Amino acid sequence: MSAELDAAPDTPSIHRLGRRALSLGAAKAFDFAIQFLLPVVLVRFLDAEAFGEYRLLWLAVGTVMAIATLDMPASLYYFLPRSDASKKRLYINQTLLFLALTGLISAWAVSAWNPWLPEKMRALVARDATVPAFVLLWVVAALLDLLPTIEERVRWQAVSTVGLAALRAAALSLAAILSRELGPVLHVLLAFVAFKVALLLGYVVRHHGLHAPILDRRVFSDQLRYAAPLGVAGALYGLRMQADQWVAAALFSLGSFASFSIAAVLGPLMNLFRLSVSCAFLPSMSRLEASGDIHGMLDLNSRANLMVATIVCPMLAFAFAFAEDLVTLVYTATYLPAATVMRVYIVGIAALVLETASITMLLRQGPFVMCLNLVALVVAVALDWWAALRFGLAGAAAGSVTVIYLDRLVTLWRIGKLAGLPLRSLQDWRSLGLRLLFAILAAVLAWGVVARYFAGSGPMVHLAVGGALLAAAYAAVAECFGMGLVVAPWRA
Protein backbone atom coordinates (compact mmCIF):
# COMPACT_ATOMS: atom_id res chain seq x y z
CA MET A 1 0.00 0.00 0.00
CA SER A 2 1.22 3.45 -0.85
CA ALA A 3 2.71 5.69 1.77
CA GLU A 4 0.28 8.39 0.69
CA LEU A 5 -2.35 6.55 2.69
CA ASP A 6 -0.73 8.05 5.75
CA ALA A 7 -0.94 11.50 4.28
CA ALA A 8 -0.68 14.91 5.80
CA PRO A 9 -3.13 16.57 8.15
CA ASP A 10 -4.67 18.88 5.53
CA THR A 11 -8.07 17.78 4.28
CA PRO A 12 -7.34 15.14 1.60
CA SER A 13 -9.12 14.97 -1.73
CA ILE A 14 -12.14 12.74 -2.16
CA HIS A 15 -10.00 10.37 -4.24
CA ARG A 16 -7.44 10.01 -1.45
CA LEU A 17 -10.20 9.50 1.09
CA GLY A 18 -11.67 6.88 -1.20
CA ARG A 19 -8.33 5.05 -1.35
CA ARG A 20 -8.05 5.18 2.42
CA ALA A 21 -11.57 3.83 2.78
CA LEU A 22 -10.81 1.04 0.32
CA SER A 23 -7.60 0.16 2.18
CA LEU A 24 -9.41 -0.05 5.50
CA GLY A 25 -12.32 -1.79 3.83
CA ALA A 26 -10.08 -4.46 2.34
CA ALA A 27 -8.47 -5.13 5.73
CA LYS A 28 -11.79 -5.23 7.55
CA ALA A 29 -13.30 -7.37 4.79
CA PHE A 30 -10.51 -9.88 5.38
CA ASP A 31 -11.22 -9.71 9.11
CA PHE A 32 -14.93 -10.26 8.52
CA ALA A 33 -14.31 -13.11 6.07
CA ILE A 34 -12.03 -14.87 8.53
CA GLN A 35 -14.45 -14.46 11.44
CA PHE A 36 -17.37 -15.47 9.19
CA LEU A 37 -15.55 -18.66 8.22
CA LEU A 38 -14.30 -19.45 11.74
CA PRO A 39 -17.66 -21.03 12.71
CA VAL A 40 -17.19 -23.43 9.78
CA VAL A 41 -14.60 -25.06 12.00
CA LEU A 42 -16.25 -24.48 15.36
CA VAL A 43 -19.66 -25.94 14.47
CA ARG A 44 -17.94 -29.09 13.26
CA PHE A 45 -15.76 -29.65 16.32
CA LEU A 46 -17.94 -28.25 19.13
CA ASP A 47 -21.36 -29.66 19.90
CA ALA A 48 -24.44 -27.41 19.61
CA GLU A 49 -24.49 -26.71 23.36
CA ALA A 50 -20.83 -25.65 23.47
CA PHE A 51 -21.20 -23.56 20.32
CA GLY A 52 -24.25 -21.91 21.88
CA GLU A 53 -22.14 -21.02 24.94
CA TYR A 54 -19.45 -19.61 22.66
CA ARG A 55 -22.01 -17.37 20.94
CA LEU A 56 -23.45 -16.39 24.31
CA LEU A 57 -19.97 -15.30 25.41
CA TRP A 58 -19.69 -12.96 22.43
CA LEU A 59 -23.16 -11.60 23.07
CA ALA A 60 -22.08 -10.77 26.63
CA VAL A 61 -18.83 -9.22 25.36
CA GLY A 62 -20.78 -7.15 22.83
CA THR A 63 -23.04 -5.89 25.60
CA VAL A 64 -20.04 -5.03 27.77
CA MET A 65 -18.36 -3.18 24.90
CA ALA A 66 -21.52 -1.20 24.23
CA ILE A 67 -21.41 0.13 27.79
CA ALA A 68 -17.81 0.05 29.04
CA THR A 69 -16.03 2.20 26.46
CA LEU A 70 -18.51 5.10 26.84
CA ASP A 71 -17.31 6.27 23.42
CA MET A 72 -14.02 7.48 24.92
CA PRO A 73 -11.89 5.92 22.13
CA ALA A 74 -14.16 7.42 19.44
CA SER A 75 -14.00 10.81 21.15
CA LEU A 76 -10.38 10.96 20.00
CA TYR A 77 -11.72 11.60 16.48
CA TYR A 78 -12.82 14.96 17.84
CA PHE A 79 -9.81 15.82 20.02
CA LEU A 80 -6.67 14.44 18.33
CA PRO A 81 -6.96 16.27 14.96
CA ARG A 82 -7.16 19.55 16.92
CA SER A 83 -4.28 18.89 19.38
CA ASP A 84 -0.49 19.23 19.50
CA ALA A 85 1.78 16.28 20.35
CA SER A 86 1.69 16.79 24.13
CA LYS A 87 -2.08 17.12 24.21
CA LYS A 88 -2.49 14.06 22.01
CA ARG A 89 -0.45 11.99 24.45
CA LEU A 90 -2.59 13.24 27.33
CA TYR A 91 -5.85 12.31 25.59
CA ILE A 92 -4.54 8.83 24.76
CA ASN A 93 -3.26 8.24 28.31
CA GLN A 94 -6.59 9.33 29.76
CA THR A 95 -8.45 7.01 27.42
CA LEU A 96 -6.24 4.05 28.37
CA LEU A 97 -6.76 4.78 32.06
CA PHE A 98 -10.51 5.02 31.60
CA LEU A 99 -10.68 1.74 29.65
CA ALA A 100 -8.63 -0.06 32.29
CA LEU A 101 -11.04 1.09 35.02
CA THR A 102 -14.21 0.21 33.11
CA GLY A 103 -12.59 -3.06 32.05
CA LEU A 104 -12.17 -4.03 35.71
CA ILE A 105 -15.82 -3.23 36.39
CA SER A 106 -16.83 -5.25 33.32
CA ALA A 107 -14.74 -8.20 34.47
CA TRP A 108 -16.66 -8.25 37.74
CA ALA A 109 -19.96 -7.99 35.87
CA VAL A 110 -19.29 -11.21 33.93
CA SER A 111 -17.82 -13.10 36.87
CA ALA A 112 -19.44 -15.50 39.33
CA TRP A 113 -19.19 -12.72 41.94
CA ASN A 114 -22.02 -10.85 40.20
CA PRO A 115 -25.25 -11.99 41.92
CA TRP A 116 -27.37 -10.69 39.01
CA LEU A 117 -25.55 -12.66 36.33
CA PRO A 118 -28.05 -14.55 34.08
CA GLU A 119 -28.19 -18.27 34.81
CA LYS A 120 -26.97 -19.33 31.36
CA MET A 121 -23.95 -17.03 31.71
CA ARG A 122 -23.22 -18.38 35.19
CA ALA A 123 -22.57 -21.83 33.77
CA LEU A 124 -20.10 -20.30 31.29
CA VAL A 125 -18.02 -18.40 33.88
CA ALA A 126 -18.10 -21.11 36.55
CA ARG A 127 -15.00 -22.85 35.15
CA ASP A 128 -12.30 -20.33 36.16
CA ALA A 129 -11.31 -16.66 35.80
CA THR A 130 -10.69 -16.92 32.05
CA VAL A 131 -13.84 -15.08 30.94
CA PRO A 132 -13.49 -12.09 33.36
CA ALA A 133 -9.79 -11.72 32.48
CA PHE A 134 -10.62 -11.87 28.77
CA VAL A 135 -13.30 -9.18 29.12
CA LEU A 136 -10.94 -6.85 31.03
CA LEU A 137 -8.27 -7.06 28.33
CA TRP A 138 -10.78 -6.92 25.47
CA VAL A 139 -12.09 -3.56 26.73
CA VAL A 140 -8.58 -2.09 26.86
CA ALA A 141 -7.63 -3.55 23.47
CA ALA A 142 -10.59 -1.77 21.84
CA LEU A 143 -8.40 1.34 21.46
CA LEU A 144 -6.17 -0.45 18.95
CA ASP A 145 -9.12 -0.81 16.56
CA LEU A 146 -9.42 2.99 16.21
CA LEU A 147 -6.28 4.85 17.26
CA PRO A 148 -4.09 4.33 14.15
CA THR A 149 -6.98 5.32 11.88
CA ILE A 150 -7.73 8.42 13.95
CA GLU A 151 -4.09 9.43 13.49
CA GLU A 152 -4.42 8.66 9.76
CA ARG A 153 -1.90 5.80 9.86
CA VAL A 154 -4.17 3.77 7.64
CA ARG A 155 -1.49 1.36 6.44
CA TRP A 156 -0.56 0.47 10.02
CA GLN A 157 -4.21 -0.09 10.90
CA ALA A 158 -4.80 -2.28 7.84
CA VAL A 159 -1.76 -4.48 8.46
CA SER A 160 -2.57 -4.97 12.15
CA THR A 161 -6.22 -5.75 11.37
CA VAL A 162 -5.28 -8.44 8.85
CA GLY A 163 -2.57 -9.95 11.03
CA LEU A 164 -4.68 -10.12 14.17
CA ALA A 165 -7.65 -11.60 12.29
CA ALA A 166 -5.52 -14.37 10.83
CA LEU A 167 -3.85 -15.11 14.16
CA ARG A 168 -7.14 -15.27 16.06
CA ALA A 169 -8.84 -17.54 13.53
CA ALA A 170 -5.89 -19.92 13.24
CA ALA A 171 -5.40 -20.19 16.99
CA LEU A 172 -9.09 -20.76 17.80
CA SER A 173 -9.51 -23.28 14.99
CA LEU A 174 -6.50 -25.25 16.15
CA ALA A 175 -7.73 -25.26 19.74
CA ALA A 176 -11.18 -26.51 18.68
CA ILE A 177 -9.77 -29.20 16.37
CA LEU A 178 -7.34 -30.57 18.95
CA SER A 179 -9.59 -30.40 22.02
CA ARG A 180 -13.20 -30.49 20.73
CA GLU A 181 -14.08 -28.61 23.93
CA LEU A 182 -14.91 -24.99 24.72
CA GLY A 183 -12.48 -24.58 27.64
CA PRO A 184 -9.25 -24.62 25.60
CA VAL A 185 -10.84 -22.27 23.04
CA LEU A 186 -11.47 -19.75 25.81
CA HIS A 187 -7.87 -20.04 27.04
CA VAL A 188 -6.61 -19.31 23.51
CA LEU A 189 -8.90 -16.28 23.33
CA LEU A 190 -7.34 -14.97 26.54
CA ALA A 191 -3.82 -15.40 25.17
CA PHE A 192 -4.81 -13.65 21.94
CA VAL A 193 -6.25 -10.58 23.62
CA ALA A 194 -3.18 -10.33 25.87
CA PHE A 195 -1.06 -10.16 22.71
CA LYS A 196 -3.37 -7.49 21.26
CA VAL A 197 -3.01 -5.33 24.38
CA ALA A 198 0.79 -5.69 24.14
CA LEU A 199 0.61 -4.54 20.51
CA LEU A 200 -1.48 -1.52 21.53
CA LEU A 201 1.03 -0.50 24.18
CA GLY A 202 3.86 -0.95 21.68
CA TYR A 203 2.10 1.40 19.25
CA VAL A 204 1.54 4.05 21.92
CA VAL A 205 5.15 3.83 23.13
CA ARG A 206 6.52 4.18 19.62
CA HIS A 207 4.40 7.11 18.50
CA HIS A 208 3.64 8.94 21.76
CA GLY A 209 5.56 7.47 24.66
CA LEU A 210 4.18 6.17 27.93
CA HIS A 211 4.95 9.06 30.25
CA ALA A 212 3.33 12.08 31.87
CA PRO A 213 0.97 13.74 31.67
CA ILE A 214 -1.30 10.79 32.43
CA LEU A 215 -4.32 12.70 33.67
CA ASP A 216 -5.41 16.32 33.73
CA ARG A 217 -8.66 16.75 35.62
CA ARG A 218 -9.88 19.69 33.57
CA VAL A 219 -9.01 18.12 30.24
CA PHE A 220 -10.37 14.75 31.30
CA SER A 221 -13.59 16.38 32.47
CA ASP A 222 -13.98 18.06 29.09
CA GLN A 223 -13.27 14.81 27.24
CA LEU A 224 -15.73 12.92 29.45
CA ARG A 225 -18.43 15.58 29.02
CA TYR A 226 -18.02 15.30 25.28
CA ALA A 227 -17.93 11.49 25.18
CA ALA A 228 -20.46 10.62 27.90
CA PRO A 229 -23.68 11.69 26.13
CA LEU A 230 -22.53 10.01 22.94
CA GLY A 231 -21.31 7.02 24.94
CA VAL A 232 -24.61 6.60 26.74
CA ALA A 233 -26.43 7.04 23.45
CA GLY A 234 -24.13 4.46 21.86
CA ALA A 235 -24.63 2.09 24.79
CA LEU A 236 -28.40 2.37 24.46
CA TYR A 237 -28.07 1.82 20.71
CA GLY A 238 -25.84 -1.21 21.26
CA LEU A 239 -28.23 -2.66 23.82
CA ARG A 240 -31.09 -2.01 21.44
CA MET A 241 -29.31 -3.85 18.62
CA GLN A 242 -28.61 -6.78 20.95
CA ALA A 243 -32.02 -6.83 22.62
CA ASP A 244 -33.40 -9.40 20.23
CA GLN A 245 -30.49 -11.74 20.94
CA TRP A 246 -31.00 -11.48 24.69
CA VAL A 247 -34.71 -12.15 24.15
CA ALA A 248 -33.84 -15.23 22.09
CA ALA A 249 -31.32 -16.37 24.73
CA ALA A 250 -33.93 -15.97 27.47
CA LEU A 251 -36.85 -17.65 25.67
CA PHE A 252 -35.19 -20.41 23.66
CA SER A 253 -32.64 -23.17 24.19
CA LEU A 254 -28.90 -22.61 23.70
CA GLY A 255 -29.07 -24.55 20.43
CA SER A 256 -31.89 -22.35 19.11
CA PHE A 257 -30.07 -19.25 20.34
CA ALA A 258 -26.98 -20.38 18.41
CA SER A 259 -29.08 -20.47 15.21
CA PHE A 260 -30.52 -17.04 16.00
CA SER A 261 -27.09 -15.52 16.65
CA ILE A 262 -25.79 -16.98 13.38
CA ALA A 263 -28.52 -15.09 11.53
CA ALA A 264 -27.13 -11.81 12.90
CA VAL A 265 -23.73 -12.42 11.31
CA LEU A 266 -24.49 -9.97 8.48
CA GLY A 267 -24.68 -7.08 10.97
CA PRO A 268 -20.88 -7.01 11.31
CA LEU A 269 -20.65 -7.03 7.51
CA MET A 270 -22.53 -3.74 7.37
CA ASN A 271 -20.46 -2.34 10.24
CA LEU A 272 -17.32 -3.39 8.40
CA PHE A 273 -18.04 -1.22 5.38
CA ARG A 274 -19.63 1.59 7.36
CA LEU A 275 -16.67 1.84 9.74
CA SER A 276 -14.08 1.49 6.99
CA VAL A 277 -15.56 4.39 5.05
CA SER A 278 -16.64 6.60 7.95
CA CYS A 279 -13.32 6.15 9.78
CA ALA A 280 -11.46 7.28 6.66
CA PHE A 281 -13.80 10.27 6.23
CA LEU A 282 -14.19 11.30 9.88
CA PRO A 283 -10.94 13.25 10.37
CA SER A 284 -11.76 15.38 7.31
CA MET A 285 -15.38 15.75 8.39
CA SER A 286 -14.17 16.86 11.82
CA ARG A 287 -11.97 19.58 10.29
CA LEU A 288 -14.84 20.78 8.08
CA GLU A 289 -17.17 21.00 11.09
CA ALA A 290 -14.50 22.86 13.06
CA SER A 291 -14.22 25.41 10.24
CA GLY A 292 -18.01 25.87 10.16
CA ASP A 293 -18.57 24.14 6.81
CA ILE A 294 -21.57 22.03 7.86
CA HIS A 295 -22.80 21.53 4.30
CA GLY A 296 -19.36 20.28 3.24
CA MET A 297 -19.38 17.81 6.14
CA LEU A 298 -22.83 16.55 5.11
CA ASP A 299 -21.71 16.20 1.51
CA LEU A 300 -18.79 13.99 2.57
CA ASN A 301 -21.19 11.86 4.61
CA SER A 302 -23.52 11.48 1.64
CA ARG A 303 -20.71 10.37 -0.63
CA ALA A 304 -19.46 7.93 2.01
CA ASN A 305 -22.93 6.37 2.22
CA LEU A 306 -23.03 5.96 -1.55
CA MET A 307 -19.68 4.16 -1.44
CA VAL A 308 -21.07 1.78 1.17
CA ALA A 309 -24.33 1.23 -0.73
CA THR A 310 -22.49 0.41 -3.96
CA ILE A 311 -20.80 -2.56 -2.29
CA VAL A 312 -23.27 -3.61 0.37
CA CYS A 313 -26.58 -3.60 -1.54
CA PRO A 314 -25.68 -6.49 -3.88
CA MET A 315 -24.20 -8.46 -0.97
CA LEU A 316 -27.38 -8.11 1.07
CA ALA A 317 -29.53 -9.02 -1.94
CA PHE A 318 -27.39 -12.11 -2.52
CA ALA A 319 -27.66 -13.19 1.13
CA PHE A 320 -31.44 -12.69 1.10
CA ALA A 321 -31.91 -14.77 -2.06
CA PHE A 322 -29.60 -17.61 -1.01
CA ALA A 323 -29.97 -17.61 2.79
CA GLU A 324 -30.64 -21.36 3.12
CA ASP A 325 -27.63 -22.25 0.99
CA LEU A 326 -25.36 -19.92 2.96
CA VAL A 327 -26.42 -21.35 6.32
CA THR A 328 -26.20 -24.95 5.15
CA LEU A 329 -22.76 -24.53 3.59
CA VAL A 330 -21.17 -22.52 6.37
CA TYR A 331 -22.89 -23.78 9.52
CA THR A 332 -24.38 -27.16 8.39
CA ALA A 333 -28.08 -28.01 8.14
CA THR A 334 -28.28 -28.24 11.95
CA TYR A 335 -28.60 -24.43 12.04
CA LEU A 336 -30.98 -24.07 9.08
CA PRO A 337 -33.60 -22.18 11.18
CA ALA A 338 -31.19 -19.24 10.99
CA ALA A 339 -32.12 -18.63 7.32
CA THR A 340 -35.55 -17.13 8.04
CA VAL A 341 -34.16 -14.93 10.81
CA MET A 342 -31.36 -13.83 8.50
CA ARG A 343 -33.88 -12.52 5.96
CA VAL A 344 -35.64 -10.51 8.66
CA TYR A 345 -32.29 -9.00 9.68
CA ILE A 346 -31.36 -8.12 6.09
CA VAL A 347 -34.46 -5.93 5.77
CA GLY A 348 -33.25 -3.94 8.77
CA ILE A 349 -29.56 -3.92 7.84
CA ALA A 350 -30.38 -2.25 4.52
CA ALA A 351 -31.40 0.91 6.40
CA LEU A 352 -27.98 1.05 8.09
CA VAL A 353 -26.44 2.13 4.78
CA LEU A 354 -27.42 5.59 6.01
CA GLU A 355 -24.65 6.29 8.50
CA THR A 356 -25.61 9.16 10.83
CA ALA A 357 -23.55 8.53 13.97
CA SER A 358 -20.53 10.49 12.71
CA ILE A 359 -22.69 13.55 12.04
CA THR A 360 -24.46 13.51 15.41
CA MET A 361 -21.08 13.04 17.11
CA LEU A 362 -19.51 16.04 15.35
CA LEU A 363 -22.60 18.18 15.94
CA ARG A 364 -22.45 17.22 19.64
CA GLN A 365 -25.95 15.77 19.62
CA GLY A 366 -25.26 13.24 22.35
CA PRO A 367 -28.26 14.15 24.56
CA PHE A 368 -30.68 13.90 21.61
CA VAL A 369 -29.28 10.55 20.47
CA MET A 370 -29.33 9.29 24.06
CA CYS A 371 -33.03 10.07 24.48
CA LEU A 372 -33.85 8.59 21.07
CA ASN A 373 -32.02 5.35 21.84
CA LEU A 374 -33.63 5.04 25.25
CA VAL A 375 -37.10 5.20 23.72
CA ALA A 376 -36.03 2.88 20.89
CA LEU A 377 -34.59 0.34 23.35
CA VAL A 378 -37.86 0.10 25.29
CA VAL A 379 -39.91 -0.21 22.10
CA ALA A 380 -37.55 -2.79 20.58
CA VAL A 381 -37.52 -5.05 23.65
CA ALA A 382 -41.31 -4.95 23.93
CA LEU A 383 -41.82 -5.71 20.23
CA ASP A 384 -39.14 -8.43 20.18
CA TRP A 385 -40.60 -10.18 23.23
CA TRP A 386 -44.17 -10.04 21.91
CA ALA A 387 -43.20 -11.18 18.40
CA ALA A 388 -40.97 -13.99 19.73
CA LEU A 389 -43.83 -15.42 21.79
CA ARG A 390 -46.24 -15.09 18.86
CA PHE A 391 -44.09 -16.03 15.85
CA GLY A 392 -41.15 -17.94 17.32
CA LEU A 393 -37.45 -17.49 16.61
CA ALA A 394 -37.80 -15.18 13.59
CA GLY A 395 -40.24 -12.95 15.48
CA ALA A 396 -37.55 -12.07 18.02
CA ALA A 397 -35.83 -9.92 15.38
CA ALA A 398 -38.94 -8.07 14.16
CA GLY A 399 -38.98 -5.32 16.80
CA SER A 400 -35.36 -4.34 16.30
CA VAL A 401 -35.80 -4.16 12.53
CA THR A 402 -38.85 -1.92 12.87
CA VAL A 403 -37.06 0.43 15.24
CA ILE A 404 -34.06 0.79 12.91
CA TYR A 405 -36.22 2.54 10.33
CA LEU A 406 -37.88 4.79 12.90
CA ASP A 407 -34.44 5.71 14.28
CA ARG A 408 -33.06 6.71 10.89
CA LEU A 409 -36.11 8.83 10.05
CA VAL A 410 -36.03 10.77 13.33
CA THR A 411 -32.23 11.25 13.24
CA LEU A 412 -32.25 12.57 9.67
CA TRP A 413 -35.04 14.96 10.62
CA ARG A 414 -32.92 16.27 13.49
CA ILE A 415 -29.81 16.69 11.32
CA GLY A 416 -31.83 18.53 8.67
CA LYS A 417 -33.24 20.88 11.27
CA LEU A 418 -29.77 21.71 12.62
CA ALA A 419 -28.28 22.19 9.14
CA GLY A 420 -31.25 24.14 7.79
CA LEU A 421 -31.77 21.63 4.99
CA PRO A 422 -34.86 19.63 3.99
CA LEU A 423 -34.77 15.85 4.28
CA ARG A 424 -34.49 15.44 0.50
CA SER A 425 -31.19 17.38 0.50
CA LEU A 426 -29.40 15.37 3.18
CA GLN A 427 -28.61 12.39 0.96
CA ASP A 428 -28.49 11.57 -2.73
CA TRP A 429 -31.70 9.56 -2.45
CA ARG A 430 -32.00 8.87 -6.17
CA SER A 431 -28.54 7.26 -6.37
CA LEU A 432 -29.13 5.26 -3.19
CA GLY A 433 -32.48 4.04 -4.49
CA LEU A 434 -31.02 3.00 -7.84
CA ARG A 435 -28.27 0.97 -6.17
CA LEU A 436 -30.83 -0.88 -4.06
CA LEU A 437 -33.19 -1.45 -7.00
CA PHE A 438 -30.47 -2.79 -9.28
CA ALA A 439 -29.18 -5.11 -6.52
CA ILE A 440 -32.69 -6.53 -6.00
CA LEU A 441 -33.24 -7.06 -9.74
CA ALA A 442 -29.84 -8.77 -10.07
CA ALA A 443 -30.66 -11.05 -7.12
CA VAL A 444 -34.05 -11.98 -8.60
CA LEU A 445 -32.36 -12.84 -11.91
CA ALA A 446 -29.68 -14.95 -10.19
CA TRP A 447 -32.18 -16.77 -7.98
CA GLY A 448 -34.50 -17.47 -10.92
CA VAL A 449 -31.73 -18.98 -13.05
CA VAL A 450 -30.45 -21.14 -10.20
CA ALA A 451 -33.94 -22.33 -9.24
CA ARG A 452 -34.75 -23.26 -12.84
CA TYR A 453 -31.52 -24.81 -14.08
CA PHE A 454 -29.60 -25.88 -10.95
CA ALA A 455 -32.37 -26.95 -8.55
CA GLY A 456 -30.86 -30.40 -8.05
CA SER A 457 -27.37 -29.11 -7.27
CA GLY A 458 -25.89 -28.52 -3.82
CA PRO A 459 -25.41 -25.27 -1.87
CA MET A 460 -21.90 -24.73 -3.24
CA VAL A 461 -23.13 -24.73 -6.84
CA HIS A 462 -26.12 -22.52 -5.97
CA LEU A 463 -23.90 -19.95 -4.31
CA ALA A 464 -21.19 -20.00 -6.96
CA VAL A 465 -23.56 -19.72 -9.93
CA GLY A 466 -25.93 -17.31 -8.18
CA GLY A 467 -23.08 -15.11 -6.96
CA ALA A 468 -21.46 -14.97 -10.40
CA LEU A 469 -24.73 -14.08 -12.12
CA LEU A 470 -25.64 -11.44 -9.55
CA ALA A 471 -22.18 -9.86 -9.65
CA ALA A 472 -22.14 -9.79 -13.46
CA ALA A 473 -25.63 -8.30 -13.72
CA TYR A 474 -24.98 -5.68 -11.04
CA ALA A 475 -21.56 -4.76 -12.45
CA ALA A 476 -23.03 -4.33 -15.93
CA VAL A 477 -25.74 -2.00 -14.68
CA ALA A 478 -23.26 -0.12 -12.45
CA GLU A 479 -21.03 0.44 -15.46
CA CYS A 480 -23.93 1.70 -17.56
CA PHE A 481 -25.03 4.17 -14.89
CA GLY A 482 -21.53 5.18 -13.77
CA MET A 483 -22.00 3.93 -10.20
CA GLY A 484 -18.35 4.08 -9.12
CA LEU A 485 -17.03 4.20 -5.58
CA VAL A 486 -15.68 7.75 -5.94
CA VAL A 487 -18.74 9.93 -6.49
CA ALA A 488 -18.89 13.58 -7.42
CA PRO A 489 -20.69 16.19 -5.33
CA TRP A 490 -24.41 15.97 -6.08
CA ARG A 491 -25.96 18.88 -4.19
CA ALA A 492 -26.42 21.97 -6.32
Side-chain angles (χ1 to χ4, degrees), residues 111-135:
S111 72
W113 293 338
N114 179 7
W116 301 287
L117 194 68
E119 199 58 38
K120 289 180 181 176
M121 276 296 300
R122 193 170 294 280
L124 180 62
V125 304
R127 296 179 175 88
D128 51 35
T130 300
V131 170
F134 169 73
V135 169

Side-chain angles (χ1 to χ4, degrees), residues 238-323:
L239 293 175
R240 189 188 95 200
M241 298 303 289
Q242 295 167 354
D244 47 8
Q245 293 197 52
W246 282 113
V247 168
L251 294 179
F252 303 102
S253 67
L254 276 174
S256 296
F257 166 71
S259 294
F260 188 91
S261 67
I262 283 171
V265 73
L266 293 176
L269 173 65
M270 172 58 75
N271 288 334
L272 181 160
F273 290 105
R274 282 179 55 197
L275 287 174
S276 299
V277 174
S278 63
C279 286
F281 277 60
L282 252 176
S284 297
M285 290 173 62
S286 179
R287 282 188 285 267
L288 287 170
E289 188 278 331
S291 69
D293 188 0
I294 303 299
H295 288 188
M297 178 190 70
L298 292 174
D299 187 66
L300 276 185
N301 172 260
S302 175
R303 287 193 261 176
N305 290 340
L306 281 178
M307 286 185 182
V308 173
T310 302
I311 299 173
V312 167
C313 285
M315 290 184 174
L316 293 180
F318 173 75
F320 190 96
F322 297 97

